[in-house]
Amino acid sequence: MSVFSPAPAPSAAAPAAPTQVELLDFARRTAADADLIASLPLDPEGRTWVRLEGPGGSEAWLIGWPPGTGTGWHDHAESVGAFVTAAGELTEHALAARLPTDGWKTLELSDDVDRERRLPAGRGRSFGRHHVHEVLNESPDRHAVSVHAYYPPLPRIRRYSRAGQILRLEQVERPEDWQ
């Protein structure tokens, strides 16, 4: 008696990691969803956020920014990312310099590394690994709302303080610290 065993079905290949362009496209589409944006509860004093389902296993967030709030200087470690302003306007201050990834506490920055972007509703940007920036809602009286996506899901966030051209690593946060 012979037993016939069909060949095992080919396993589905793991989906490709989303690119910065795909993350930005997702953030733009999501920021254009007026019902979703309106559903975010806004706090008059602190940022609010809701986790979203991002593309290809990415981590995504809908974030509300009260007037005068911001993130402080930080990076997203090994993750690439994108964000789009859905309502209001955000300002991004970023460093146009590749920083060492580990093994330092204090760096002196050169004079030409600062970049600023104003991102009104519908505008956004993507960024690569180890991108150091701060995001602010500088409005004195209007909330802002934005959509953010990161891949791989954030393994850590490094927080920095800045005094003039001196950047100092202050804290390393892990997912359990903000979820």
Side-chain angles (χ1 to χ4, degrees), residues 18 21 28 30 64 71 80 98 111 114 124 134 136 154 162 177:
V21 170
R28 279 194 178 114
T30 305
T71 60
V80 298
R98 183 98 171 134
D111 290 333
D114 291 296
E134 68 174 345
L136 309 161
L154 297 172
R162 181 158 181 200
D177 297 327

Side-chain angles (χ1 to χ4, degrees), residues 97-161:
R98 183 98 171 134
L99 302 180
T101 57
D102 289 304
W104 65 276
K105 287 283 192 188
T106 303
L107 288 175
E108 184 172 353
L109 303 170
S110 63
D111 290 333
D112 61 349
V113 297
D114 291 296
R115 301 293 183 268
E116 179 179 302
R117 286 181 180 84
R118 298 218 176 263
L119 302 163
R123 299 261 336 260
R125 71 170 319 246
S126 62
F127 52 85
R129 291 171 171 76
H130 310 291
H131 175 72
V132 178
H133 68 168
E134 68 174 345
V135 180
L136 309 161
N137 176 6
E138 295 178 321
S139 171
D141 57 6
R142 188 169 177 212
H143 267 80
V145 177
S146 57
V147 177
H148 302 246
Y150 310 99
Y151 188 85
L154 297 172
R156 60 188 169 154
I157 292 177
R158 291 180 290 221
R159 299 217 174 259
Y160 305 97
S161 63

